[in-house]
């Protein structure tokens, strides 16, 4: 288990779960915005993105217009990208091989959900092994 603590606003988690409910047959993708330090990340807002991958049932690729919107939000608020959130259609909430590659590029927590709404947060350790964050709490904010 890593030393990372992760919290997410309940309204944002509900938004993600509702979106997941409507899109169970494809992987969903969102970008969490908030504040991050060495051992703590707080997700204040999640921007849900269109998945434009060639095989959206098995992988995700966020639409570039989503990143443009995220850039504007970050510029206005002074916050950062603090998590990648996406789903697995097959039901497993562990990082896939493609996720591991992405986690090397984006060294922030990744929240993975399955189509039933089960979720878990992961971070890549120095050895390249994914480990769960110490906690993933849901806050009223």
């Amino acid at each position: 288990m890593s030393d990372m603590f992760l919290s997410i606003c309940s309204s944002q988690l509900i938004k993600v779960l509702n979106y997941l409910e409507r899109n169970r047959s494809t992987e969903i993708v969102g970008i969490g915005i908030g504040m991050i330090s060495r051992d703590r990340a707080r997700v204040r807002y999640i921007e849900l993105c269109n998945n434009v991958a060639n095989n959206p049932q098995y992988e995700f690729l966020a639409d570039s217009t989503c990143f443009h919107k995220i850039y504007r939000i970050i510029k206005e608020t002074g916050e950062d990208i603090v998590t990648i959130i996406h789903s697995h259609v097959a039901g497993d909430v562990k990082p896939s091989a493609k996720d591991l590659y992405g986690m090397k590029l984006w060294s922030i927590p990744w929240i993975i959900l399955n189509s039933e709404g089960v979720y878990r947060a992961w971070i890549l350790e120095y050895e390249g092994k994914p480990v769960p964050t110490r906690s993933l709490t849901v806050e009223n904010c």
Side-chain angles (χ1 to χ4, degrees):
M1 186 167 299
S2 83
D3 291 333
M4 176 64 73
F5 292 88
L6 182 65
S7 65
I8 184 170
C9 290
S10 60
S11 64
Q12 297 304 294
L13 182 59
I14 290 167
K15 176 173 79 171
V16 169
L17 293 172
N18 287 337
Y19 187 70
L20 177 66
E21 180 70 29
R22 295 186 308 271
N23 296 280
R24 287 181 184 237
S25 63
T26 62
E27 290 196 7
I28 66 165
V29 58
I31 308 297
I33 300 169
M35 302 300 257
I36 193 166
S37 65
R38 189 180 66 75
D39 65 346
R40 189 169 303 274
R42 183 169 185 270
V43 182
R44 180 192 59 80
Y45 176 76
I46 294 175
E47 182 64 33
L48 294 166
C49 305
N50 290 325
N51 182 352
V52 296
N54 289 331
N55 297 304
Q57 299 84 1
Y58 307 106
E59 62 185 345
F60 70 89
L61 177 63
D63 183 359
S64 61
T65 59
C66 187
F67 280 98
H68 178 70
K69 185 172 183 181
I70 291 164
Y71 172 77
R72 287 192 331 228
I73 293 169
I74 288 170
K75 191 170 180 168
E76 290 171 9
T77 64
E79 294 175 314
D80 292 308
I81 294 175
V82 298
T83 190
I84 305 293
I85 185 165
H86 79 285
S87 65
H88 287 170
V89 175
D92 192 358
V93 295
K94 293 181 180 176
S96 67
K98 285 189 178 194
D99 294 339
L100 292 175
Y101 178 77
M103 291 172 84
K104 290 177 184 175
L105 299 174
W106 291 82
S107 58
I108 55 177
W110 283 47
I111 301 172
I112 302 174
L113 305 95
N114 68 15
S115 59
E116 302 302 315
V118 175
Y119 54 89
R120 188 149 201 192
W122 300 86
I123 191 138
L124 209 57
E125 289 283 296
Y126 294 109
E127 307 87 38
K129 178 183 174 187
V131 294
T133 59
R134 180 165 298 278
S135 71
L136 173 56
T137 58
V138 179
E139 300 179 336
N140 290 324
C141 44

